[in-house]
Amino acid sequence: MAARVLACAGCHGAQGEGTSDVYFPRLAGKPAGYLYNQLIAFRDGRRRYPPMNYLLEFLPDAYLQEIATYFASLRPPFAAPAIPTVSAEVLARGETLVKNGDPQHGIPACSGCHNPGFTGMEPAIPGLLGLRASYISAQLGGWRYGTRTALAPDCMQIVASLLTEDDVKAVAAYLASRPAPADPSFAPRGSLPMPLACGSEPH
Amino acid sequence: MPRALKKLLSVLAVSSMTIGTTGAIAQQPPKPVPAPIANPALIAKGEYLARAGDCIACHTAREGKIFAGGLPMETPFGTIYTSNITPDPQTGIGTWTSDQFFTTMHNGRFPDGGLLYPAMPFASYTKVTREDSDAIFAYLRSIPPVRQANRPHDLRFPYNNRSLIIGWRTLFFREGEYKPDPTKSADWNRGAYLVEGLGHCGMCHTAINALGGSSESQAFEGGLIPMQNWYAPSLTSNKEAGLGDWSIEEISDLLRTGVSTRGAVYGPMAEVVYNSLQYLNDDDTRAMAVYLKSLAQGTSPEKPAASLPSAESSLLLSFGKSIYDRECGGCHGATGVGMPPHYPPLAGNPSIQMVSAVNAIRMVLNGGYPPGTAGNPRPYGMPPFAQRLSDDEVAAVVTYIRTSWGNRGEPVSARQANELRSATLN
């Protein structure tokens, strides 16, 4: 399988661990349902990034499922977390948002769905560790501007639209500063009471 | 960007009932023509022929309902939107008769007499027999109707003037069903019928001129596909994609599975295999192979001879070789022999040596997967190198590949590589 997905390695690493490019995410160990949803979304144009849209355009569902399952099964080591370039106040704001949300503005905590350890939940909620601040911030921007969409109800589109630019910066910086999880396994399906309905994660 | 079928974009624009017809129909309530008594064999035949014609590639939008149209297609003349060909009486073709459908396919005229833009390949479909047209119509009558109004085209002046089509037709349109050549085999004639008719291969593989037309005298001689920046190689020259020295089995494999021991399909041709050719039966695939092989003119490519590089190009080549050995040789082999069918050979591969280096450069920049087909459901992919190699490196490695192991392509420049970085991907 590694040979079949060599086309992914240049940007995502041979084991899906990510590369030095801060805009390309780690794939390894994310739930297969999440990875599959993204592959379908890229293929069908629901998530816009032309190099990915192009690569996947003529690949059938069954093969995309196999690719997703493959990367979900890999457990390469995490790279060292980023050394924050933002102030301690910004990091603290990020930590608050990520762990507690901002009830006053209706913003749920990331941990509510992505698991308090940020390793995600089966079948389709991704872990948030091992990602760089630039990638996280670009994805939140993608939801706000409509270049990244998911099946309705598109919960992340709602969340991203509630965040200010400063919120995005703080969340991205905090998550990127987190060390590798001691236990990278994701939460079992349905084990977290999600604060929002999510089209990608049927209850 | 639409699905790969931007090939049809080449032409003056696409058919639309939007401007030409629905306006007229909307005057009076549509009267659905009663669907003929379903004949499963006829419908199945029509479905198969609709596959051969690749109708779905243009008439189905991304994540849209099948055959409900609405796919935007960028052309040099503006954006066109494909039409709804489901049997919905108000927004589709539910009021049409089989006569009207045949006239549209055969003569490029809507039921109200309005002219189709020639991005609908009626110049090819005119060769389709009445019997086959009726089968396709029966199939289209059997699919679920979708109420989705056609979107008006967004064409620039003067191309938004349909009377221009009259001139285009005079120059480029020859109406007429396919006439079998009695001196050729049944296979050859069936292949010619499919390639020239429903397959509409000439839409890409014949050069498009400034008027958006294809010259009959240059049929299948290849050309750059407008807007897409892919080069559709000549099917008549063995120096390009002429298949004169391929076996029938190699050609059939390529058409049906997307890969073969001689090379793989990529770019817009991947779409054609994915949506259309993989569904054809053995007999038809073989017939197309027989005909395509016969199109190749003249002899096989000249015997390759190593060129003697100047000092400067020698430096470029050694730079290119170092990149090749590091990035490419693992799959394509130190001497470019590849590991067919999944890692195509580069040595002696005409696709790499064509005068136009566009495809070779783009494969290095963008990589690509052959289509996933029933015959090759888990294809191997070529990695993109756009983010990894500089313009100079791309130029060096493509030059090395085009001129090594007996290949006789011309060197490429960093500027050519740079220009293709902005080519439309999808």
Side-chain angles (χ1 to χ4, degrees):
Chain A
M1 196 62 199
R4 292 180 195 272
V5 296
L6 199 60
C8 317
C11 298
H12 295 287
Q15 295 280 304
E17 71 276 19
T19 56
S20 59
D21 191 307
V22 295
Y23 285 100
F24 298 143
R26 175 187 176 93
L27 305 177
K30 288 187 177 173
Y34 168 76
L35 293 175
Y36 178 67
N37 285 347
Q38 301 317 304
L39 289 168
I40 296 283
F42 279 125
R43 184 192 64 186
D44 295 344
R46 208 185 301 134
R47 183 174 173 184
R48 292 297 299 160
Y49 180 62
M52 284 295 293
N53 302 132
Y54 160 83
L55 273 180
L56 300 175
E57 194 167 8
F58 306 116
L59 298 182
D61 293 356
Y63 192 38
L64 297 182
Q65 180 70 67
E66 190 180 343
I67 292 171
T69 304
Y70 172 71
F71 281 110
S73 74
L74 300 178
R75 295 287 182 274
F78 282 72
I83 296 162
T85 56
V86 299
S87 68
E89 290 76 18
V90 172
L91 269 190
R93 167 73 178 152
E95 180 169 10
T96 304
L97 276 168
V98 162
K99 292 184 174 170
N100 306 318
D102 182 345
Q104 204 185 332
H105 294 103
I107 302 168
C110 305
S111 55
C113 298
H114 292 274
N115 174 356
F118 306 116
T119 55
M121 177 169 70
E122 284 186 302
I125 296 182
L128 301 177
L129 299 179
L131 304 171
R132 266 68 57 93
S134 300
Y135 173 76
I136 297 170
S137 133
Q139 298 318 301
L140 290 167
W143 270 300
R144 286 164 66 145
Y145 300 117
T147 52
R148 179 169 180 176
T149 62
L151 294 177
D154 190 350
C155 51
M156 279 307 299
Q157 196 272 328
I158 296 167
V159 173
S161 67
L162 295 171
L163 299 173
T164 64
E165 292 291 328
D166 285 345
D167 290 342
V168 169
K169 193 174 163 193
V171 165
Y174 175 74
L175 284 171
S177 74
R178 293 292 82 204
D183 174 10
S185 52
F186 11 80
R189 176 192 287 260
S191 61
L192 298 169
M194 293 165 54
L196 283 176
C198 174
S200 302
E201 180 86 1
H203 281 285
Chain B
M1 261 298 136
R3 189 175 294 223
L5 226 262
K6 306 146 200 175
K7 61 185 182 186
L8 305 185
L9 323 174
S10 28
V11 206
L12 226 181
V14 148
S15 80
S16 138
M17 283 154 258
T18 326
I19 302 171
T21 348
T22 17
I25 285 178
Q27 307 286 316
Q28 30 185 272
K31 292 179 207 139
V33 175
I37 294 157
N39 172 343
L42 184 66
I43 289 171
K45 179 181 174 186
E47 181 174 10
Y48 177 83
L49 293 168
R51 281 291 186 189
D54 206 2
C55 313
I56 194 170
C58 290
H59 286 284
T60 304
R62 279 176 177 252
E63 296 198 286
K65 299 233 167 63
I66 190 165
F67 293 128
L71 181 78
M73 303 172 88
E74 307 294 330
T75 79
F77 313 98
T79 303
I80 49 170
Y81 295 90
T82 59
S83 54
N84 182 342
I85 56 170
T86 71
D88 181 67
Q90 276 171 340
T91 62
I93 62 172
T95 61
W96 290 25
T97 64
S98 59
D99 283 347
Q100 290 171 328
F101 183 77
F102 180 70
T103 303
T104 308
M105 290 276 285
H106 186 74
N107 193 18
R109 282 177 190 277
F110 290 117
D112 70 351
L115 298 174
L116 274 75
Y117 279 113
M120 162 75 178
F122 61 86
S124 304
Y125 292 167
T126 190
K127 293 181 188 277
V128 175
T129 63
R130 175 66 198 242
E131 188 186 340
D132 283 355
S133 172
D134 285 353
I136 295 170
F137 185 65
Y139 164 63
L140 291 175
R141 293 302 305 262
S142 76
I143 64 173
V146 178
R147 182 139 311 173
Q148 178 176 298
N150 290 322
R151 185 167 169 181
H153 301 324
D154 185 12
L155 293 171
R156 285 189 294 279
F157 177 83
Y159 308 110
N160 52 0
N161 179 352
R162 276 183 186 251
S163 60
L164 282 184
I165 301 174
I166 296 169
W168 187 95
R169 291 169 66 102
T170 310
L171 289 169
F172 304 115
F173 179 49
R174 301 288 171 270
E175 179 182 344
E177 214 174 272
Y178 177 74
K179 295 275 176 297
D181 179 343
T183 69
K184 298 293 204 311
S185 68
D187 262 357
W188 188 94
N189 275 300
R190 175 67 178 169
Y193 173 70
L194 290 169
V195 167
E196 294 178 15
L198 282 172
H200 61 283
C201 309
M203 289 288 283
C204 287
H205 289 283
T206 301
I208 302 289
N209 56 37
L211 295 173
S214 316
S215 162
E216 212 167 308
S217 63
Q218 295 172 335
F220 302 121
E221 287 185 5
L224 191 72
I225 308 174
M227 311 301 286
Q228 296 194 61
N229 276 310
W230 284 106
Y231 181 81
S234 165
L235 300 179
T236 61
S237 165
N238 284 334
K239 290 179 188 165
E240 295 198 352
L243 300 167
D245 62 348
W246 287 42
S247 73
I248 295 296
E249 189 187 4
E250 287 164 344
I251 304 171
S252 304
D253 283 349
L254 185 78
L255 295 178
R256 199 154 49 138
T257 69
V259 293
S260 75
T261 53
R262 304 291 290 266
V265 299
Y266 54 87
M269 192 63 198
E271 184 279 321
V272 178
V273 170
Y274 183 74
N275 278 318
S276 173
L277 297 177
Q278 67 160 315
Y279 296 99
L280 299 194
N281 63 38
D282 287 355
D283 288 349
D284 280 348
T285 310
R286 184 189 155 77
M288 288 177 79
V290 166
Y291 174 68
L292 288 170
K293 186 174 167 69
S294 81
L295 277 180
Q297 295 162 347
T299 55
S300 292
E302 301 154 41
K303 264 281 177 257
S307 50
L308 294 172
S310 68
E312 192 185 341
S313 60
S314 150
L315 203 63
L316 183 68
L317 288 181
S318 69
F319 183 37
K321 181 179 189 312
S322 69
I323 299 163
Y324 181 88
D325 290 343
R326 186 181 78 219
E327 307 283 0
C328 320
C331 294
H332 292 288
T335 56
V337 295
M339 285 183 268
H342 295 303
Y343 302 123
L346 305 179
N349 185 333
S351 183
I352 285 151
Q353 308 171 55
M354 299 187 291
V355 173
S356 167
V358 163
N359 294 4
I361 295 170
R362 289 203 58 183
M363 279 309 291
V364 170
L365 287 174
N366 308 138
Y369 270 93
T373 59
N376 184 35
R378 304 161 72 220
Y380 289 71
M382 159 95 178
F385 287 93
Q387 80 292 354
R388 195 175 170 92
L389 299 180
S390 68
D391 294 339
D392 285 331
E393 289 172 321
V394 171
V397 77
V398 173
T399 297
Y400 175 71
I401 292 167
R402 276 165 66 82
T403 57
S404 299
W405 322 301
N407 284 351
R408 299 176 67 97
E410 296 287 319
V412 304
S413 67
R415 186 179 164 180
Q416 284 173 284
N418 182 270
E419 282 168 357
L420 288 166
R421 283 186 187 271
S422 57
T424 300
L425 273 173
N426 163 275

